[in-house]
Amino acid sequence: MHDLLIRGGTVVDGTGAASFTGDVAVKDGKVVEVGKITAAATRTIDASGLMVAPGWVDIHTHYDGQASWDPYMTPSSWHGVTTAVMGNCGVGFAPAKPSQREWMIELMEGVEDIPGAVLNEGVKWEWESFPQYLDAVDKTPRIMDLGAQIPHAAVRVFVMGERGARREEATPDDIAKMAAVVKESITAGALGFSTSRTFVHRTSRGEQTPTFGVAEHELTSIAKAVGETGKGVLQMISDFDDIDSEFHILAESARISGRPLSFTLLQRDAMPEKWRAVMQRVAAARGQGLDIKAQVACRPIGMVHGLECSMQPFFLTPGYVEIAALPLAERVARLRDPALRARIIKESATPPDNWRLASITRDFHKLYPLSGDQANYEPRAEDSVAGIAKSTGRTPEEVAYDLMLEDGGKKKFYFPLYNYTDNNLDVVREMLSNPATLLGLGDAGAHCGYICDASYPTYLLSHWGRDRSRGDKLPVEFLVHAQTLRNARGVGIMDRGSLTPGMKADINLIDFAHLRANAPQMKYDLPAGGRRLVQTANGYEATFVSGELVMEKGKATGALPGRLVRSSVAPH
């Protein structure tokens, strides 16, 4: 007798094969039979009218802190995620000596916008080495499985101390020690090694991440150590300011290690074709036998702005800074004063010196008011603040200011930072469709005050498989495969991602016709009363992890079967 029988659903099995109406049987936490099943089960579920798909595998999260305090791993668990991978972009909390913990919090606060007060209260610090960190993660029951990568910044500071934090050049002895730490960690179960080479990543004090611009030899020596374990992956982020130089380092790391490597791929407005130049190099490298893929997003990589958020168009003006610490209701009352309104609007005419901040505060053609209970991630140019200003005969500053005060100051705006140069998602579709890409970059658990992209899996399926009206939707079978089996194999996890016999029974039952991600909202439910943007979802009827029902109609059941996913050698 089976433990669970899901009968009569539309099975989209994660392999990319055509969907079919059939049954799925589970025994001892694994899928044991798929098709027309006559055997009995302890529990039978009628899935007529529902999609039956594998649980989503989110390969790019920053749950390194939240894993300490939240067994329910929200909001990812609301969106059908059953496996999440953290430790991306070279930042995390292990290895760490006690004297380095505060610095690590400052780095995570600066790079990933997770408040320091939240991390100080929430992170348990039951470890020093990375294997000890894995054991701490492993012993904590949770709603989904977690895998961890060892972050370069933590390793560098662990070995080099303040010299590493100051980005001093590593000595041969430093590099040998870093390589040994990474090798030990991969052997113990780390899924991979991650690093950051982007100018944007800084600590909360404004200092650049320790790994920015490190020498090629440091990275390739660590990559070689990963390769010696016979398992594990490499993950990187780079600005590719010098495409040839940066891609050479990336390709050499893949070549020397012999391991899969993935990196972040974005379209930037200032250089809208650069991503294609990078992908041309990927194609050439793959032609030479290197396993290199780009991690891409399923919608613009964007920010949510507003008075409750970390940013909005006037957050740097002296007039606003004077009242920024006030509670929301008091701020709104003060901002309604005509004299302060006139002052702040005048001050906003002077852009910040930093071009990124200038774009965030002045590019009103990219600032879209959110309305209703759903977020529109492919808005029209005329729907922007600049478009509204043009049609109403006002300045963009006036429009943005007045909209910002709506709904008691809770009004939100969407600001697509990357992948939206042409005011549509055609580039995103091109990225998604490239066989040398993996679906990632949701950053769940991070950017609490201005990004809410943990809903990527829900949006991928609902927008690209059902809602897009431009005549170029993508097959549902492809979309499910992209965020299940393809992602799992992409990070070296071989026991899940498809509804085929022998695979782990992580399963979503989805009311596809009603699947949607709801509008972002601010919650104050982190340790120390910290805030975070979240999105709920509609359409997930049930989610199973290892055959156990963990979510039903958007509510957690209390079951916590999730465990640590450790790296393993792929079967031949």
Side-chain angles (χ1 to χ4, degrees):
M1 180 175 286
H2 300 307
D3 297 330
L4 172 66
L5 179 60
I6 300 170
R7 191 180 293 283
T10 300
V11 179
V12 186
D13 68 7
T15 66
S19 58
F20 59 93
T21 300
D23 312 326
V24 177
V26 175
K27 179 76 173 179
D28 297 329
K30 294 186 177 181
V31 176
V32 291
E33 195 175 352
V34 180
K36 183 64 177 177
I37 301 172
T38 58
T42 302
R43 180 178 186 180
T44 299
I45 295 177
D46 181 3
S48 301
L50 300 179
M51 178 188 295
V52 184
W56 311 143
V57 179
D58 189 341
I59 63 172
H60 196 112
T61 81
H62 292 281
Y63 278 130
D64 311 72
Q66 192 171 332
S68 279
W69 68 75
D70 179 15
Y72 293 102
M73 307 306 295
T74 60
S76 290
S77 58
W78 301 338
H79 293 274
V81 175
T82 55
T83 302
V85 178
M86 55 189 179
N88 287 283
C89 300
V91 293
F93 294 115
K97 298 171 183 176
S99 62
Q100 297 165 346
R101 292 171 180 172
E102 186 59 37
W103 177 87
M104 293 218 170
I105 286 174
E106 290 179 357
L107 179 63
M108 187 66 81
E109 182 177 25
V111 172
E112 302 299 342
D113 188 38
I114 305 173
V118 170
L119 297 172
N120 272 304
E121 181 170 313
V123 178
K124 292 185 173 64
W125 297 111
E126 301 172 286
W127 59 84
E128 184 167 321
S129 71
F130 200 84
Q132 290 170 343
Y133 174 70
L134 293 178
D135 290 343
V137 173
D138 199 15
K139 75 178 185 181
T140 305
R142 55 180 53 84
I143 200 170
M144 67 178 66
D145 289 349
L146 278 182
Q149 298 169 105
I150 181 165
H152 191 184
V155 173
R156 203 170 204 270
V157 173
F158 185 75
V159 168
M160 297 176 61
E162 290 189 7
R163 291 189 300 115
R166 292 195 301 265
R167 299 173 47 236
E168 292 185 16
E169 185 172 351
T171 67
D173 184 57
D174 293 330
I175 292 173
K177 288 178 179 177
M178 283 189 270
V181 168
V182 171
K183 186 174 183 178
E184 174 193 44
S185 302
I186 301 290
T187 301
L191 291 181
F193 165 80
S194 71
T195 191
S196 170
R197 298 178 64 77
T198 174
F199 179 81
V200 177
H201 284 172
R202 295 173 180 267
T203 73
S204 58
R205 296 175 181 267
E207 300 161 352
Q208 286 180 318
T209 187
T211 60
F212 178 69
V214 300
E216 175 182 339
H217 180 60
E218 180 174 331
L219 280 176
T220 55
S221 296
I222 293 173
K224 182 174 183 290
V226 174
E228 289 169 354
T229 69
K231 56 183 184 175
V233 299
L234 305 173
Q235 186 267 328
M236 297 184 180
I237 179 171
S238 170
D239 296 324
F240 290 106
D241 286 337
D242 183 333
I243 297 181
D244 289 330
S245 175
E246 284 296 293
F247 197 85
H248 168 78
I249 293 174
L250 182 149
E252 280 298 290
S253 297
R255 183 185 67 78
I256 289 172
S257 69
R259 304 304 305 161
L261 181 149
S262 64
F263 65 94
T264 296
L265 184 70
L266 311 167
Q267 182 201 41
R268 292 177 167 85
D269 289 351
M271 298 163 285
E273 296 300 315
K274 176 178 279 192
W275 74 271
R276 288 193 174 93
V278 173
M279 289 306 293
Q280 288 171 1
R281 287 159 176 79
V282 170
R286 291 177 63 82
Q288 297 170 9
L290 299 181
D291 189 353
I292 298 176
K293 289 187 172 74
Q295 287 191 26
V296 300
C298 64
R299 65 188 190 213
I301 295 176
M303 311 166 87
V304 179
H305 290 179
L307 287 174
E308 288 188 297
C309 304
S310 296
M311 298 180 187
Q312 36 84 7
F314 311 100
F315 82 114
L316 294 175
T317 62
Y320 181 78
V321 169
E322 290 175 7
I323 64 168
L326 294 176
L328 179 62
E330 292 184 40
R331 260 183 296 150
V332 171
R334 293 284 296 276
L335 290 167
R336 291 192 190 282
D337 176 65
L340 183 58
R341 178 183 185 273
R343 176 190 168 189
I344 289 176
I345 288 176
K346 182 178 180 180
E347 290 172 345
S348 71
T350 303
D353 292 335
N354 182 296
W355 69 265
R356 289 183 175 87
L357 290 176
S359 172
I360 289 168
T361 56
R362 300 297 304 162
D363 286 355
F364 293 106
H365 66 286
K366 296 184 67 175
L367 191 67
Y368 298 89
L370 294 175
S371 59
D373 57 0
Q374 295 186 65
N376 179 11
Y377 293 102
E378 195 170 13
R380 304 171 304 170
E382 56 264 37
D383 298 327
S384 69
V385 166
I388 296 170
K390 183 177 180 180
S391 66
T392 59
R394 293 180 289 164
T395 68
E397 292 83 358
E398 290 171 333
V399 172
Y401 192 100
D402 294 340
L403 284 171
M404 185 174 68
L405 300 181
E406 290 185 0
D407 193 20
K410 295 183 179 181
K411 182 74 172 182
K412 306 291 190 301
F413 300 82
Y414 183 57
F415 188 91
L417 198 59
Y418 304 117
N419 299 352
Y420 211 63
T421 301
D422 299 320
N423 284 101
N424 61 59
L425 295 182
D426 292 355
V427 158
V428 172
R429 189 187 190 282
E430 189 177 342
M431 290 178 178
L432 289 173
S433 303
N434 191 309
T437 62
L438 297 171
L439 181 68
L441 309 185
D443 278 358
H447 304 298
C448 301
Y450 60 87
I451 291 179
C452 187
D453 288 340
S455 62
Y456 271 3
T458 301
Y459 185 81
L460 177 83
L461 197 56
S462 61
H463 179 80
W464 291 105
R466 187 193 65 207
D467 294 341
R468 197 167 198 238
S469 59
R470 298 170 64 91
D472 59 354
K473 291 186 287 189
L474 292 166
V476 167
E477 293 86 352
F478 166 77
L479 298 171
V480 170
H481 170 68
Q483 60 186 355
T484 56
L485 190 63
R486 187 162 85 169
N487 267 1
R489 295 286 171 85
V491 293
I493 306 175
M494 313 304 290
D495 65 345
R496 68 199 68 196
S498 69
L499 299 180
T500 52
M503 297 293 269
K504 193 169 179 287
D506 296 343
I507 304 170
N508 279 315
L509 303 187
I510 302 168
D511 180 355
F512 181 55
H514 296 98
L515 181 68
R516 75 179 196 191
N518 297 316
Q521 55 184 311
M522 190 66 75
K523 295 291 186 182
Y524 296 84
D525 59 355
L526 293 179
R531 67 180 180 180
R532 61 173 181 152
L533 281 164
V534 299
Q535 279 180 282
T536 57
N538 292 350
Y540 290 100
E541 293 295 300
T543 300
F544 297 84
V545 172
S546 297
E548 288 193 50
L549 180 65
V550 297
M551 294 288 295
E552 188 169 22
K553 295 185 182 297
K555 304 293 183 183
T557 66
L560 300 174
R563 292 295 182 269
L564 176 74
V565 184
R566 293 184 188 264
S567 58
S568 59
V569 177
H572 295 289

